Amino acid sequence: MHSINFIGLWTIFAREMHRTKQVLFQAVLSPTLSTVLYFVVFGAAIGTNVFVLENISYGQFIVPGLIVMAVITNALSASSSGIYFPRFTGTITDLIVAPLSYKEIVLGYALGGTARALFIGVLVYISSLFFIDIIISHPLFAIIFIILSAFVFSLLGIVIGIWAKDFERLALIPLIIITPLSFLGGVFYTLEMLPPLWQKITLFNPIYYIVDGFRYAFFGNSTTEPFFSLLVLFGIIFALWFLLAHMFSKGYGMKA
């Protein structure tokens, strides 16, 4: 049985953290400030006067969804660019010949993307407290859930980074699929606000379960059973891990 090369895994993770520090404003501060604008417009301006759920203002309601949106988009961006640039510069061969299995490579990049995304998520949550009074009803569930959510999209980012043959393709999936699904995932509305047909369509959107599950951690109620949302996350993790194992076994995208 192949033992995990923790030194190699840590090296990849540390390199990703160093890359984040080098582009701190672009990688961390910029997405945080962009999300804060949503609090200013939707939260502070109209959020305190509109109540979506009992005793929950609209401003409070959108906080979990905005945190999720910031976390998943930045987890995907971090890991996809992290694995793509060595391919683009030709240094991917150094990674291939190193005594590393696909497990260490995937975990290194995925944990790096997860760490960056979680840091952004914490900054977004702290920023929201300046505009909206909100507490987390189930903090342990919130921590576990957001870590898994970030990890899922870090794995997806690695898939995209390996699949992409140029910068246009690298941005294609987030632009035409992830961003629309995020906005249609219940960040700004409840499922009951939609017509019956769109309610059924929304149930096929995996991001909806992430937003709804994380919202449960804040308010203690959700449209969907929260543990079903956890099951969805684990299902996606296993599917993406299997896909990445197949891509690495075939050497897909590994040539410089």
Side-chain angles (χ1 to χ4, degrees):
M1 182 179 293
H2 176 78
S3 60
I4 296 179
N5 183 344
F6 287 103
I7 295 177
L9 192 159
W10 172 257
T11 300
I12 296 175
F13 174 80
R15 186 176 64 182
E16 287 302 289
M17 291 298 92
H18 179 69
R19 190 168 66 92
T20 298
K21 288 174 60 178
Q22 287 183 317
V23 289
L24 187 64
F25 182 83
Q26 176 187 346
V28 176
L29 297 181
S30 180
T32 302
L33 292 174
S34 298
T35 306
V36 167
L37 291 177
Y38 287 106
F39 294 129
V40 174
V41 176
F42 293 102
I46 65 173
T48 56
N49 301 316
V50 178
F51 287 82
V52 180
L53 302 173
E54 185 179 358
N55 298 323
I56 300 175
S57 69
Y58 185 68
Q60 294 170 325
F61 175 81
I62 64 173
V63 169
L66 289 176
I67 293 174
V68 166
M69 194 162 68
V71 166
I72 64 176
T73 54
N74 286 284
L76 186 145
S77 173
S79 60
S80 63
S81 61
I83 192 75
Y84 175 77
F85 278 106
R87 295 178 56 228
F88 177 74
T89 58
T91 57
I92 191 68
T93 52
D94 298 335
L95 200 62
I96 298 172
V97 299
L100 296 168
S101 71
Y102 79 91
K103 296 176 184 177
E104 289 95 23
I105 296 173
V106 169
L107 280 176
Y109 283 110
L111 293 177
T114 299
R116 181 198 291 191
L118 291 177
F119 183 56
I120 293 173
V122 170
L123 290 179
V124 170
Y125 173 68
I126 293 173
S127 300
S128 72
L129 298 178
F130 289 96
F131 304 96
I132 301 157
D133 293 326
I134 190 169
I135 60 172
I136 304 176
S137 299
H138 304 284
L140 181 60
F141 185 88
I143 292 170
I144 295 172
F145 200 86
I146 201 65
I147 289 175
L148 289 174
S149 301
F151 189 70
V152 162
F153 279 83
S154 291
L155 291 178
L156 180 59
I158 297 172
V159 172
I160 295 172
I162 294 174
W163 166 80
K165 298 185 184 303
D166 49 44
F167 286 101
E168 287 76 17
R169 293 192 185 188
L170 188 67
L172 183 64
I173 300 298
L175 181 63
I176 69 172
I177 296 180
I178 303 303
T179 299
L181 288 180
S182 297
F183 281 98
L184 297 174
V187 174
F188 299 104
Y189 54 82
T190 63
L191 188 66
E192 292 78 9
M193 293 179 178
L194 300 174
L197 176 61
W198 281 101
Q199 289 185 25
K200 295 178 181 178
I201 293 174
T202 300
L203 295 177
F204 290 95
N205 181 357
I207 295 180
Y208 160 74
Y209 297 99
I210 298 175
V211 172
D212 197 55
F214 195 57
R215 189 168 281 138
Y216 165 81
F218 275 74
F219 308 124
N221 55 47
S222 59
T223 306
T224 307
E225 173 61 41
F227 291 100
F228 179 76
S229 297
L230 271 177
L231 186 63
V232 170
L233 284 176
F234 279 113
I236 298 174
I237 287 173
F238 286 125
L240 290 173
W241 190 269
F242 178 80
L243 176 59
L244 284 165
H246 176 73
M247 295 176 82
F248 273 88
S249 68
K250 298 296 184 182
Y252 187 92
M254 289 295 108
K255 293 181 181 180

